[in-house]
Coordinates of all heavy atoms in Angstrom, one line a residue:
L199 N 0.8 -1.2 0.0 CA 0.0 0.0 0.0 C 0.8 1.3 0.0 O 0.4 2.3 -0.5 CB -1.0 0.0 1.2 CG -2.1 -1.0 1.2 CD1 -3.0 -0.8 2.4 CD2 -2.9 -0.7 -0.1
L200 N 2.0 1.1 0.6 CA 3.0 2.3 0.6 C 3.4 2.8 -0.8 O 3.8 3.9 -1.0 CB 4.2 2.0 1.4 CG 3.9 1.7 2.9 CD1 5.2 1.4 3.7 CD2 3.2 2.9 3.6
E201 N 3.2 1.9 -1.8 CA 3.6 2.2 -3.2 C 2.6 3.1 -3.8 O 2.8 3.7 -4.8 CB 3.7 0.9 -4.0 CG 4.9 0.0 -3.5 CD 5.0 -1.4 -4.2 OE1 4.1 -1.5 -5.2 OE2 5.7 -2.2 -3.9
S202 N 1.3 3.1 -3.2 CA 0.3 3.9 -3.7 C 0.2 5.3 -3.1 O -0.2 5.5 -1.9 CB -1.1 3.2 -3.4 OG -1.2 1.9 -4.0
Q203 N 0.9 6.2 -3.7 CA 1.1 7.6 -3.1 C -0.2 8.4 -3.3 O -0.9 8.4 -4.4 CB 2.3 8.2 -3.9 CG 3.5 7.5 -3.6 CD 4.0 7.5 -2.2 OE1 3.7 8.5 -1.4 NE2 4.6 6.4 -1.8
L204 N -0.5 9.1 -2.3 CA -1.7 10.0 -2.3 C -1.3 11.4 -2.7 O -0.1 11.9 -2.5 CB -2.5 10.1 -1.0 CG -3.0 8.7 -0.5 CD1 -3.7 8.9 0.9 CD2 -3.9 8.1 -1.5
T205 N -2.1 12.2 -3.4 CA -1.8 13.5 -3.8 C -2.0 14.4 -2.6 O -2.6 14.1 -1.6 CB -2.7 14.0 -4.9 OG1 -4.1 14.0 -4.4 CG2 -2.6 13.1 -6.1
E206 N -1.4 15.6 -2.6 CA -1.6 16.6 -1.6 C -3.0 16.9 -1.4 O -3.5 17.1 -0.2 CB -0.7 17.8 -1.9 CG 0.7 17.6 -1.8 CD 1.2 17.2 -0.5 OE1 0.6 17.7 0.6 OE2 2.2 16.4 -0.3
E207 N -3.7 17.0 -2.4 CA -5.2 17.3 -2.3 C -5.9 16.2 -1.6 O -6.8 16.5 -0.7 CB -5.8 17.4 -3.7 CG -7.3 17.6 -3.7 CD -7.9 17.5 -5.0 OE1 -7.2 17.3 -6.1 OE2 -9.1 17.5 -5.1
E208 N -5.6 14.9 -1.9 CA -6.3 13.8 -1.2 C -5.8 13.8 0.3 O -6.7 13.5 1.2 CB -5.9 12.5 -1.8 CG -6.5 12.4 -3.2 CD -6.0 11.2 -4.0 OE1 -4.8 10.8 -3.7 OE2 -6.7 10.7 -4.8
R209 N -4.6 14.1 0.6 CA -4.2 14.0 2.0 C -4.9 15.2 2.8 O -5.2 15.0 4.0 CB -2.7 14.2 2.1 CG -1.9 13.1 1.6 CD -0.4 13.4 1.7 NE 0.5 12.3 1.3 CZ 0.7 11.2 1.9 NH1 0.2 11.0 3.0 NH2 1.5 10.2 1.3
A210 N -5.2 16.2 2.2 CA -5.9 17.4 2.9 C -7.4 17.2 3.1 O -8.0 17.9 3.8 CB -5.6 18.7 2.0
L211 N -7.9 16.2 2.4 CA -9.4 16.0 2.5 C -9.7 15.5 4.0 O -8.9 14.8 4.6 CB -9.8 14.9 1.5 CG -9.8 15.2 0.0 CD1 -10.1 14.1 -0.8 CD2 -10.8 16.4 -0.2
P212 N -10.9 15.9 4.4 CA -11.3 15.4 5.8 C -11.6 13.8 5.6 O -11.7 13.3 4.5 CB -12.6 16.1 6.0 CG -13.1 16.7 4.7 CD -11.8 16.9 3.9
A213 N -11.7 13.2 6.8 CA -11.8 11.7 6.8 C -13.0 11.3 6.0 O -13.0 10.3 5.2 CB -12.0 11.2 8.3
E214 N -14.1 11.9 6.2 CA -15.4 11.5 5.5 C -15.3 11.6 4.0 O -15.7 10.7 3.2 CB -16.6 12.3 6.0 CG -17.9 11.8 5.4 CD -19.1 12.5 6.0 OE1 -18.9 13.3 7.1 OE2 -20.2 12.5 5.4
A215 N -14.6 12.7 3.6 CA -14.4 13.0 2.1 C -13.4 11.9 1.5 O -13.5 11.5 0.4 CB -13.9 14.3 1.9
K216 N -12.4 11.5 2.3 CA -11.5 10.5 1.9 C -12.2 9.2 1.7 O -11.9 8.5 0.6 CB -10.3 10.3 2.9 CG -9.4 11.5 2.9 CD -8.2 11.2 4.0 CE -7.2 12.3 4.0 NZ -6.2 12.1 5.0
L217 N -13.0 8.8 2.6 CA -13.8 7.5 2.4 C -14.7 7.7 1.2 O -14.8 6.7 0.5 CB -14.6 7.3 3.7 CG -13.9 6.8 4.9 CD1 -14.8 6.5 6.0 CD2 -13.3 5.4 4.6
S218 N -15.3 8.8 1.0 CA -16.2 8.9 -0.2 C -15.5 8.8 -1.4 O -15.8 8.1 -2.4 CB -16.9 10.3 -0.1 OG -17.7 10.5 -1.2
R219 N -14.3 9.4 -1.5 CA -13.4 9.3 -2.7 C -13.0 7.9 -2.9 O -12.9 7.4 -4.1 CB -12.3 10.2 -2.7 CG -11.4 10.2 -3.9 CD -10.4 11.3 -4.0 NE -11.1 12.6 -4.3 CZ -10.5 13.7 -4.6 NH1 -9.1 13.7 -4.7 NH2 -11.1 14.9 -4.8
A220 N -12.6 7.2 -1.8 CA -12.1 5.8 -1.9 C -13.3 4.9 -2.6 O -13.0 4.1 -3.4 CB -11.7 5.3 -0.6
L221 N -14.5 5.1 -2.1 CA -15.6 4.4 -2.6 C -15.9 4.7 -4.1 O -16.1 3.8 -4.9 CB -16.9 4.7 -1.8 CG -16.9 4.0 -0.4 CD1 -18.1 4.5 0.3 CD2 -17.0 2.5 -0.5
D222 N -15.7 6.0 -4.4 CA -16.0 6.4 -5.8 C -14.9 5.7 -6.7 O -15.2 5.4 -7.8 CB -15.8 8.0 -5.9 CG -16.9 8.6 -5.4 OD1 -18.0 8.0 -5.1 OD2 -16.8 9.9 -5.1
M223 N -13.7 5.6 -6.3 CA -12.7 4.9 -7.0 C -13.1 3.5 -7.5 O -12.8 3.1 -8.6 CB -11.3 4.8 -6.3 CG -10.6 6.2 -6.2 SD -9.0 5.9 -5.2 CE -8.5 7.6 -5.2
L224 N -13.7 2.8 -6.5 CA -14.1 1.4 -6.8 C -15.4 1.2 -7.5 O -15.8 0.1 -7.7 CB -14.0 0.6 -5.5 CG -12.6 0.6 -4.7 CD1 -12.7 -0.2 -3.5 CD2 -11.6 0.0 -5.7
Y225 N -16.1 2.3 -7.7 CA -17.5 2.2 -8.3 C -17.7 3.1 -9.4 O -18.8 3.1 -10.0 CB -18.6 2.4 -7.2 CG -18.7 1.4 -6.2 CD1 -18.0 1.5 -4.9 CD2 -19.4 0.1 -6.4 CE1 -18.1 0.5 -3.9 CE2 -19.5 -0.8 -5.4 CZ -18.9 -0.6 -4.3 OH -19.0 -1.6 -3.3
D226 N -16.7 3.9 -9.8 CA -16.9 4.9 -10.9 C -16.9 4.2 -12.2 O -16.6 3.0 -12.4 CB -15.9 6.0 -10.8 CG -14.4 5.5 -11.1 OD1 -14.3 4.3 -11.5 OD2 -13.5 6.3 -10.9
Q227 N -17.1 5.0 -13.3 CA -17.3 4.4 -14.6 C -16.0 3.8 -15.1 O -15.9 2.8 -15.8 CB -17.7 5.5 -15.5 CG -18.0 5.1 -17.0 CD -18.6 6.2 -17.9 OE1 -18.7 7.3 -17.4 NE2 -18.9 5.9 -19.1
N228 N -14.8 4.5 -14.8 CA -13.6 3.9 -15.3 C -13.2 2.6 -14.7 O -12.8 1.7 -15.4 CB -12.4 4.9 -14.9 CG -11.1 4.4 -15.3 OD1 -10.8 4.1 -16.5 ND2 -10.2 4.3 -14.3
Y229 N -13.5 2.3 -13.4 CA -13.1 1.1 -12.7 C -14.1 0.0 -13.3 O -13.7 -1.1 -13.5 CB -13.3 1.3 -11.2 CG -12.9 0.1 -10.5 CD1 -11.6 -0.2 -10.2 CD2 -13.9 -0.9 -10.0 CE1 -11.2 -1.4 -9.4 CE2 -13.6 -2.0 -9.3 CZ -12.2 -2.2 -9.0 OH -11.8 -3.4 -8.3
T230 N -15.4 0.4 -13.4 CA -16.4 -0.6 -13.9 C -16.0 -1.0 -15.3 O -16.1 -2.2 -15.7 CB -17.8 0.0 -13.9 OG1 -18.1 0.4 -12.5 CG2 -18.8 -1.0 -14.4
Y231 N -15.6 0.0 -16.1 CA -15.1 -0.4 -17.5 C -13.9 -1.3 -17.5 O -13.9 -2.3 -18.3 CB -14.8 0.9 -18.2 CG -14.2 0.7 -19.6 CD1 -15.0 0.4 -20.7 CD2 -12.8 0.8 -19.8 CE1 -14.4 0.1 -21.9 CE2 -12.2 0.5 -21.0 CZ -13.0 0.2 -22.1 OH -12.6 -0.1 -23.3
L232 N -12.9 -1.0 -16.7 CA -11.7 -1.9 -16.5 C -12.2 -3.3 -16.2 O -11.8 -4.4 -16.8 CB -10.8 -1.4 -15.6 CG -10.0 -0.1 -16.0 CD1 -9.1 0.3 -14.8 CD2 -9.1 -0.4 -17.2
K233 N -13.1 -3.4 -15.2 CA -13.5 -4.8 -14.7 C -14.2 -5.5 -15.9 O -14.0 -6.7 -16.1 CB -14.4 -4.7 -13.5 CG -14.7 -6.0 -12.9 CD -15.6 -5.8 -11.6 CE -16.0 -7.2 -11.0 NZ -16.8 -7.0 -9.9
G234 N -15.1 -4.8 -16.5 CA -15.8 -5.4 -17.6 C -14.9 -5.9 -18.7 O -15.1 -7.0 -19.3
Q235 N -13.9 -5.0 -19.1 CA -13.0 -5.4 -20.1 C -12.1 -6.6 -19.8 O -11.8 -7.5 -20.6 CB -12.0 -4.2 -20.4 CG -12.7 -3.2 -21.3 CD -13.1 -3.6 -22.7 OE1 -12.4 -4.2 -23.4 NE2 -14.4 -3.5 -23.0
V236 N -11.8 -6.7 -18.5 CA -11.0 -7.9 -18.0 C -11.8 -9.2 -18.2 O -11.3 -10.2 -18.7 CB -10.6 -7.7 -16.5 CG1 -10.0 -9.0 -16.0 CG2 -9.6 -6.6 -16.4
E237 N -13.1 -9.1 -17.8 CA -13.9 -10.3 -17.9 C -14.1 -10.7 -19.4 O -14.0 -11.9 -19.7 CB -15.3 -9.9 -17.3 CG -15.3 -9.8 -15.8 CD -16.7 -9.4 -15.2 OE1 -17.5 -9.1 -16.0 OE2 -16.8 -9.3 -14.0
V238 N -14.3 -9.7 -20.2 CA -14.4 -9.9 -21.7 C -13.2 -10.6 -22.3 O -13.3 -11.6 -23.0 CB -14.8 -8.7 -22.5 CG1 -14.7 -8.9 -23.9 CG2 -16.2 -8.2 -22.1
R239 N -12.0 -10.0 -21.9 CA -10.8 -10.6 -22.4 C -10.5 -12.0 -21.9 O -10.1 -12.9 -22.8 CB -9.6 -9.7 -22.0 CG -9.7 -8.2 -22.5 CD -9.6 -8.1 -23.9 NE -9.8 -6.7 -24.3 CZ -9.6 -6.3 -25.5 NH1 -9.4 -7.1 -26.5 NH2 -9.8 -4.9 -25.8
I240 N -10.8 -12.3 -20.7 CA -10.6 -13.7 -20.1 C -11.6 -14.7 -20.9 O -11.2 -15.7 -21.2 CB -10.8 -13.7 -18.6 CG1 -9.7 -12.9 -17.9 CG2 -10.9 -15.1 -18.1 CD1 -9.9 -12.7 -16.5
R241 N -12.8 -14.1 -21.1 CA -13.8 -15.0 -21.7 C -13.4 -15.3 -23.2 O -13.5 -16.4 -23.7 CB -15.2 -14.4 -21.7 CG -16.2 -15.3 -22.3 CD -17.6 -14.7 -22.0 NE -17.9 -13.5 -22.7 CZ -18.0 -12.3 -22.1 NH1 -17.8 -12.3 -20.7 NH2 -18.2 -11.2 -22.8
L242 N -12.9 -14.3 -23.9 CA -12.4 -14.5 -25.2 C -11.2 -15.4 -25.3 O -11.1 -16.3 -26.2 CB -12.0 -13.1 -25.9 CG -13.2 -12.2 -26.2 CD1 -12.6 -10.8 -26.6 CD2 -14.1 -12.8 -27.3
C243 N -10.3 -15.3 -24.4 CA -9.1 -16.1 -24.3 C -9.6 -17.6 -24.1 O -9.1 -18.5 -24.8 CB -8.2 -15.7 -23.3 SG -6.8 -16.8 -22.9
R244 N -10.5 -17.7 -23.1 CA -11.0 -19.1 -22.8 C -11.7 -19.7 -24.0 O -11.5 -20.9 -24.3 CB -12.0 -19.0 -21.6 CG -12.5 -20.4 -21.2 CD -13.6 -20.2 -20.3 NE -14.8 -19.6 -21.0 CZ -15.8 -18.9 -20.5 NH1 -15.8 -18.8 -19.1 NH2 -16.8 -18.4 -21.2
D245 N -12.6 -18.9 -24.7 CA -13.3 -19.4 -25.9 C -12.3 -19.8 -27.0 O -12.6 -20.8 -27.7 CB -14.3 -18.3 -26.4 CG -15.4 -18.1 -25.4 OD1 -15.6 -19.0 -24.5 OD2 -16.1 -17.1 -25.5
M246 N -11.3 -18.9 -27.2 CA -10.3 -19.3 -28.3 C -9.6 -20.6 -27.9 O -9.4 -21.5 -28.8 CB -9.3 -18.2 -28.5 CG -10.0 -16.9 -29.0 SD -8.9 -15.5 -29.0 CE -7.7 -16.0 -30.3

C-alpha cells in the first residue's frame, strides 16, 4: 500500500471525504469499465 502515493489534495481531505473518494474509485465508470474489459478478455481467451 505504501507504493500507492496520495496527492496533496487527497491528504488534505477530511476523513469522510477521503472515504467517499475511496468508494468512488471502486465504483466509478472507469473502474467498472476496466473490470468489464478484463472479464471480456478472459472469456475471449477461454473461448479461443
Side-chain angles (χ1 to χ4, degrees):
L199 287 185
L200 297 177
E201 299 173 5
S202 301
Q203 299 296 325
L204 302 181
T205 64
E206 291 299 326
E207 178 192 356
E208 289 171 336
R209 290 181 182 279
L211 291 173
E214 185 175 347
K216 287 180 179 178
L217 282 177
S218 177
R219 178 166 293 189
L221 284 172
D222 288 342
M223 288 180 183
L224 298 180
Y225 290 95
D226 66 11
Q227 184 176 2
N228 178 55
Y229 185 82
T230 302
Y231 173 78
L232 286 175
K233 184 177 180 181
Q235 284 297 304
V236 169
E237 293 175 352
V238 168
R239 302 293 179 174
I240 291 174
R241 184 170 64 251
L242 288 173
C243 174
R244 184 195 65 204
D245 290 346
M246 292 172 71

